[in-house]
Structure formats: C-alpha cells, structure tokens
C-alpha cells in the first residue's frame, strides 16, 4: 500500500547529536523527493547532552519559511519531565514555534502508573502551546486510551503515529495499533511521521501508513496528508496568517 503523505512533521537534524543531517541537507532531500513541507523538531534540551540548546529553538527564525519550494516549519519535540506535563522549553520559546510535539523519552522520565501517564498526557494536551503527542504507544508508559484520545478530540490536538517506532520501539507495535483504531473511531486528528534522524529516512512512511489504513484511519483525519492541510490546521488553531508561510526571505 503506497503512502500518500507528502509532508514531514517530525524530523531531527544535527542539532540533536544522534541525528546526522543538516537543515540544508534535509530541505534539499525533501525537494528532491517531492516532499512539500519539513518540520524541524529537534529534541528539547533535557535529553542528556543530546538535545538541542534552547537557543536553537529561539533562533529558528534564521531559516526562511520556504526554501527550494519546501515549507520549513519551526518546531520542537519537547520532553515530558514529570506527570504534571512539565516540558523542557520555556513558554516564551514555545510561543515562537509553529508546531510542538511532546514525547516521553526514558532518560527524562521514569515510568509511573497508568493513572500517572493518563494525567500527564491529558495535561500535555491541555497546554495550549503543545500541538501533538509523539510516539505515545510505548508500552512502558501505557495510558487510558479513551480518556486521552477524547481529550485530544475535544481540544483539536493531534496524536502521532510514528514510523520510527517500528525500528526503535518494536514493543510498541500492538499498542500503536490499538491507539490508531481508537483514533479512527473517535475521528481524532493523527499525524503520520517518519521521525527521521537522517535525510535518508525522509519520506519513508510506508509501514505506518499501512498500519493506519488497517486500523481504519481516514485520509480526512490525517493532519499532515498534504502541506496545505497541515498549514490550514496550524493557522486555524494557532491564529497564524497563512501568508507568512510563503516568505522565502525574512
Ligand atoms: Zn521521540
Ligand atoms: Zn523524534
């Protein structure tokens, strides 16, 4: 089954030390592969010595909004640090970003109870500066799927289905399917992402696309199916002017 995703909304550059391509390489590769939009979502600073410094996020304004025909979205994958959904970037910086994914990474948080994880994900979704939950299928951090997904639906937020989970978090596969099926039933927005850590992974959404289709996800609920839909979502929910994304300069 061929994936119809034409955007990349979860990617890492060399600003995260375990990723291997520059912004320029990522953009050039997107243009070559016909990917219309690239969100740069490097790891928040709490990920040991691996995440980007907070200046990285502050200064994303140095990159034009559109390069070589590719929309460049200023983003972050912030770390959830506690069960109150505290994250590792200040609100003042999050406000400067277009797109913020909140994820759990083991070095930043020890697992608690299902109730802890449920409350954490609900609080994260309630934070107006957070747009999406990243790779939430990790079984170590399982949660009450109905409670969290109903919150996402109510607040117009996004649940990510992540292709990288198949290689780095293989134990997540069953749980991801369960989450995807419930997203399909509730009509929650989902994003389908590669979580690319190098330019070579860009565009590789085949496996997660197939899983999403099997789970009954409809194309209408995939927030990043096309650049236009993704930008419309950001503009509608966050009040951005659509015209800013056409700026090829500053
Ligand atoms: Zn992650
Ligand atoms: Zn990531």
């Amino acid at each position: 089954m061929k994936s119809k995703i034409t955007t990349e909304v979860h990617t890492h550059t060399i600003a995260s030390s375990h990723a291997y391509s520059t912004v320029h390489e990522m953009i050039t590769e997107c243009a070559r592969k016909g990917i219309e939009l690239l969100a740069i979502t490097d790891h928040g600073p709490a990920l040991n010595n691996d995440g980007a410094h907070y200046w990285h996020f502050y200064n994303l304004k140095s990159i034009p909004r559109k390069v070589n025909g590719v929309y460049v979205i200023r983003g972050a994958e912030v770390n959830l640090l506690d069960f109150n959904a505290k994250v590792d970037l200040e609100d003042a910086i999050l406000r400067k970003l277009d797109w913020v994914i909140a994820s759990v990474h083991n070095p930043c948080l020890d697992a608690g109870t299902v109730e802890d994880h449920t409350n954490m994900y609900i609080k994260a979704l309630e934070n107006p500066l957070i747009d999406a939950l990243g790779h939430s299928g990790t079984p170590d951090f399982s949660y009450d799927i109905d409670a969290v997904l109903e919150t996402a639906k109510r607040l117009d937020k996004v649940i990510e289905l992540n292709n990288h989970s198949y290689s780095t978090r293989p134990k997540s596969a069953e749980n991801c399917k369960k989450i995807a099926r419930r997203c399909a039933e509730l009509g929650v927005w989902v994003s389908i992402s590669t979580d690319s850590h190098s330019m070579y992974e860009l565009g590789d959404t085949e496996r997660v696309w197939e899983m999403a289709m099997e789970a009954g996800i409809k194309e209408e609920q995939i927030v990043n199916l096309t650049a236009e839909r993704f930008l419309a979502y950001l503009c509608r929910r966050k009040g951005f002017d659509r015209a800013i994304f056409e700026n090829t300069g500053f």
Side-chain angles (χ1 to χ4, degrees), residues 1-6 33 203-210 213 219 225:
M1 211 182 301
K2 181 108 181 69
S3 170
K4 295 186 184 168
I5 305 295
T6 62
K33 288 182 170 164
D204 180 17
T205 50
E206 300 296 321
R207 272 182 302 181
V208 70
W209 173 268
E210 201 163 303
M213 293 302 115
E219 290 182 18
L225 188 75

Side-chain angles (χ1 to χ4, degrees), residues 73-223:
I73 300 300
R74 301 166 185 173
E77 183 183 18
V78 294
N79 291 291
L80 287 160
L81 301 177
D82 64 25
F83 300 132
N84 286 315
K86 181 177 161 54
V87 297
D88 56 349
L89 285 176
E90 300 285 328
D91 286 0
I93 293 181
L94 295 179
R95 270 189 211 103
K96 292 190 179 297
L97 300 176
D98 305 324
W99 169 243
V100 178
I101 305 166
S103 307
V104 164
H105 296 104
N106 294 64
C108 298
L109 186 67
D110 292 326
T113 63
V114 169
E115 198 184 352
D116 290 335
H117 309 150
T118 304
N119 289 336
M120 173 185 71
Y121 279 134
I122 288 174
K123 283 183 180 153
L125 291 167
E126 285 172 346
N127 182 341
L129 300 172
I130 291 174
D131 301 298
L133 300 183
H135 53 73
S136 68
T138 322
D140 296 350
F141 287 86
S142 57
Y143 57 88
D144 178 334
I145 292 175
D146 277 5
V148 171
L149 269 43
E150 278 162 14
T151 307
K153 172 77 183 169
R154 178 169 56 83
L155 297 172
D156 199 20
K157 300 290 179 87
V158 179
I159 302 294
E160 177 191 70
L161 305 176
N162 182 310
N163 204 60
H164 216 237
S165 294
Y166 289 90
S167 51
T168 55
R169 293 172 285 269
K171 283 190 295 183
S172 305
E174 263 319 296
N175 215 23
C176 289
K177 261 186 230 165
K178 222 188 283 176
I179 293 166
R181 276 198 291 266
R182 197 66 185 127
C183 282
E185 286 162 4
L186 293 171
V188 179
W189 280 121
V190 299
S191 59
I192 290 188
S193 71
T194 61
D195 199 354
S196 288
H197 285 65
S198 85
M199 59 190 257
Y200 307 105
E201 294 178 295
L202 291 168
D204 180 17
T205 50
E206 300 296 321
R207 272 182 302 181
V208 70
W209 173 268
E210 201 163 303
M211 183 279 279
M213 293 302 115
E214 279 169 18
I217 296 286
K218 295 181 188 63
E219 290 182 18
E220 299 82 65
Q221 73 183 107
I222 303 172
V223 75

